[in-house]
Amino acid sequence: MANTPTWHHLSADDVLDHLKSSKDGLAVDRIEDLQQLHGPNALPTKKSDAWWTVLFRQFISPLILILIVAALISVALDEWVDVGVILAAVAVNTVIGFIQEYKASKALAHLKSLVQPHAVVLRGGAEVELLAAELVPGDVLVLQTGDRVTADARLVEGVELSVNEAALTGESMPIKKAVTLLEPGVPLAERTNMLYAGTSVVGGRGLAVVVATGVKTELGNIAKLVQETEETDTPLQEQLGRLARWLAWGVMGVVGFLFVAGVFTGRSTHEMLEMSVALAVAAIPEGLIVSVTIILAIGMQRILRRRSLVRRLVAAETLGSVSIICSDKTGTITEGEMRVTDFIGLKDGYRAKDLPAERPAFVQQMLEVIALCNDASVVSADEGMVLKGSPTERALMQVVLDVEIDVPALTAEHPRSAEIPFDSAHKYMVTANGWPEGSRYLLKGAPGIVMESCDKIQLNGRPVKMTDAHREALEVQIAGLTQKGLRLIATASRSHKGTVSDMGDHELEHYTFLGLVGLRDPLRPETKEQIEAAAGAGVRTIIITGDHPMTAQAIGAEAGLVVGPEGVIVGRVLDDWTDEELEKRVEDIHIYARVEPRHKIRIVKAWQSRGEVVAMTGDGVNDAPALKAADIGIAVGSGTEVAKQASDVVILDNNLGTITAAIEEGRVIFDNIRKTTVYLMADSFTEMVLIGGSIMMGLPIPLLPAQILWINLVADSFPNAGLTLEPGEKDIMKQPPRPRDEAVLNREMMTIIFLIGVVTDAVLFVLYIWLLGSIGDIETIRSILFAAVGIDSLLYIFAVKSFRKSIFRINPFSNLYLVGGVFIGFGLMLLALLHPFFQEIFEIVPLSLSHWILLLIIGVMKLVAIEIAKEVFLIRPKRT
């Protein structure tokens, strides 16, 4: 690609000569050689992993491997009940992981579908229809309104040709194409003599010579970026991975140490293997993967109720850690549709939405001009009256309808007799319409062109001679309005006696300048409020767009982003910066304009390299690589299918507020993941210390592996499921985003686990030693400890309802699902202790009423002790 010519800087004839083609197309005898040289006009594909590969990956998780080893040891010890329960835990976690991971990205398939239509080309002077895949450089495309451009091409001939490039560049307006030579450094969005694969012709006709096919097209470059962009793990995946590795190494180290210590102190190898299995099973929170999946699935439903669809399960949580939103301007920050906002005279200006009932004369005349000198049409459709035409023409006609002018009656009263249609080369349109005095010429177009045609200006309701002072004042006014992001159309008129049947360039003289019409893609009503709400939650909004920098800066200012010129950067400036320089400067940049796909990926990675969690919004093909590279890719509902397939989340209403709502739900999801992790880890820590301490003290194993698994996987599962439905705390959006590298179990959470473990194990050890001395029967003692550990876990779950408030300051019964889960947990513990079948399996005996009363008293006392410790060590220090 290094020697590829700068096609837009070459004349059409030079491009044809370079490709050894002509306006009649390629010679037929060259086609086969060119197809072999360039290959098919197709995009690259990447084979997805087979299902068995995904399934195998589930078994190489450190925690799963430890459970499998524990099951194998149990087989050797002939403990088949333990084997069955452990393998059941492995099966549940493996199946859930497999279902969650087995999703192949379809972005490339959709990109490929964009270049599969047929194309009409000239070959040997004859029109030929063929598959787009058969195109080669040098082919001459025959393009008409409605055609999809199927390769990158240089325009050779064009008549009123306009192309919608929104999916590729983000530019919301159709681009008028012309054969004119351009400078080498012109950005992609401004290459008006080029056409690109994946775009579509919305007006006119033309001939264009193909200069690139397949992977060498701009669309192909995007496809390669999507394919080469690694889909990074979410912060939750990274943290759960670290937690799994930490647990695995910790369990192996502790089990290995205690096994050796036990053998050296005289215990048999058989007994120590049994203890090792018990310890390994106790240390691993078997319900964690299931709980996280449930929380994410429930969170996805909550997010869906708030108008966002989460496509990847783990992405639901990542929303809560977002600290940067890189938002496209068109359709998310703005409405995505041009509208008339202002009518501006030399001395007066009026907002379109605030026009007085008795409109000033110059405004009324401007409305007549934009209604009559307009090719938009009003047609009847199922949904009512619909405007058809170019976006600009529709916007002009819409404001006429908004002020309740009867357009059919107006056009009947002033029929059009002649016209000069709008053309991007001359940038104006003129019509001649019937008027009582004869005819009236109506002119609209670029301000500079219209001003040159005027020798009068409308002031105080009457035309006066336009002086140099008037012209200078208008030029200052135009510059100021353009700087505010308005697109300006000037209007003028002049009377003519008699009927006009033909028009020429000589008709562009002696007009009266009426005023300027200001158009813009307006800010969405909720945008400013939502940007402020996100800022209040510690989330910064960055605007990334393909639009002009002045337009982007004006919209940014209106949205509440106070940005000076130094805070707005265009894509070609980024090309001069290294990645390291961009990383240093990215903090000071609020708006990126005239950007291309490669720029968007660099911006995302620059923020990520600073430790930020980045959400990227987009709707076009050009957004797909950045959507995939971001921590969270957010496609808007009205966007292209390619963008949706490359994204993690689809917002269904194009509303920035929906993103803020999804971030809030994401924070609730992470809070609940953290709560369930702490609950299950505290359970495992308590059981591990109890068993490990018993080994170190030379005591019998206080709990058997099957008993531990019943508590962890069965009795605790319903309370834990209730905890997954814990509603969000009221101050959740007043908290800053958590750092990217902050673990699920940070120091505060480890403190809670330690407090719960210390309080619980201290009481359990005292109880165990007392029981060994007073009862002596190991089955009865294990039954009491089995009940004690189970009851404790069912009570201290209330301690993890909130890490920011004590249970004494909140309603402990606010989550009825949790309360119900605790009651079910108690029922399951009673089932295991009272039913003969389970008594035989778990080797336990019934307990007396006095035992139950003692265990409940101890459980409540421990819950109070844990809450006091939480208040002293966690909550109170945050207040100071």
Side-chain angles (χ1 to χ4, degrees), residues 194-386:
M194 297 292 296
L195 296 98
Y196 295 103
T199 63
S200 55
V201 178
V202 295
R205 64 183 188 275
L207 299 178
V209 58
V210 173
V211 297
T213 58
V215 295
K216 294 181 181 179
T217 63
E218 291 296 329
L219 190 64
N221 290 332
I222 294 173
K224 284 193 292 183
L225 283 173
V226 172
Q227 191 177 52
E228 294 166 3
T229 302
E230 294 184 8
E231 199 163 336
T232 57
D233 285 344
T234 69
L236 178 65
Q237 288 173 313
E238 294 173 357
Q239 291 150 19
L240 290 179
R242 284 198 298 268
L243 177 61
R245 291 189 292 272
W246 177 79
L247 276 175
W249 285 109
V251 168
M252 288 189 292
V254 171
V255 169
F257 172 77
L258 291 175
F259 180 84
V260 173
V263 171
F264 270 103
T265 55
R267 294 177 185 264
S268 68
T269 303
H270 183 281
E271 183 184 7
M272 287 312 301
L273 284 172
E274 191 178 49
M275 288 185 177
S276 298
V277 171
L279 195 62
V281 170
I284 295 174
E286 293 86 1
L288 181 58
I289 297 175
V290 177
S291 298
V292 169
T293 304
I294 291 171
I295 292 170
L296 292 172
I298 291 170
M300 287 173 66
Q301 293 303 312
R302 286 176 172 171
I303 291 171
L304 183 59
R305 285 197 293 271
R306 301 185 76 170
R307 307 293 295 159
S308 291
L309 175 66
V310 179
R311 296 186 61 252
R312 293 178 61 230
L313 197 62
V314 291
E317 173 276 333
T318 310
L319 280 164
S321 56
V322 166
S323 55
I324 300 292
I325 298 174
C326 292
S327 177
D328 188 27
K329 178 186 75 68
T330 305
T332 307
I333 300 291
T334 64
E335 296 280 4
E337 187 173 282
M338 295 298 290
R339 293 185 188 170
V340 172
T341 58
D342 297 89
F343 291 90
I344 307 113
L346 182 61
K347 295 184 178 180
D348 302 303
Y350 296 88
R351 302 286 290 175
K353 63 181 181 180
D354 299 324
L355 284 176
E358 293 186 9
R359 293 184 285 270
F362 84 93
V363 173
Q364 182 62 32
Q365 292 176 43
M366 289 172 69
L367 286 166
E368 290 172 351
V369 170
I370 63 177
L372 297 169
C373 185
N374 192 322
D375 285 334
S377 58
V378 184
V379 298
S380 178
D382 292 340
E383 61 269 28
M385 302 304 290
V386 177

Side-chain angles (χ1 to χ4, degrees), residues 85-156:
V85 177
I86 293 171
L87 289 181
V90 170
V92 169
N93 285 296
T94 300
V95 169
I96 289 174
F98 171 75
I99 292 172
Q100 179 178 327
E101 188 176 340
Y102 189 50
K103 297 171 185 176
S105 171
K106 296 179 181 177
L108 285 173
H110 280 282
L111 279 169
K112 186 178 179 181
S113 71
L114 286 177
V115 287
Q116 287 308 304
H118 288 69
V120 177
V121 300
L122 290 172
R123 285 183 176 174
E127 286 192 8
V128 180
E129 183 174 352
L130 43 75
L131 288 172
E134 298 174 9
L135 289 174
V136 293
D139 267 327
V140 175
L141 295 171
V142 180
L143 298 168
Q144 296 181 344
T145 301
D147 287 347
R148 175 162 284 165
V149 182
T150 49
D152 288 2
R154 171 63 160 89
L155 189 64
V156 175

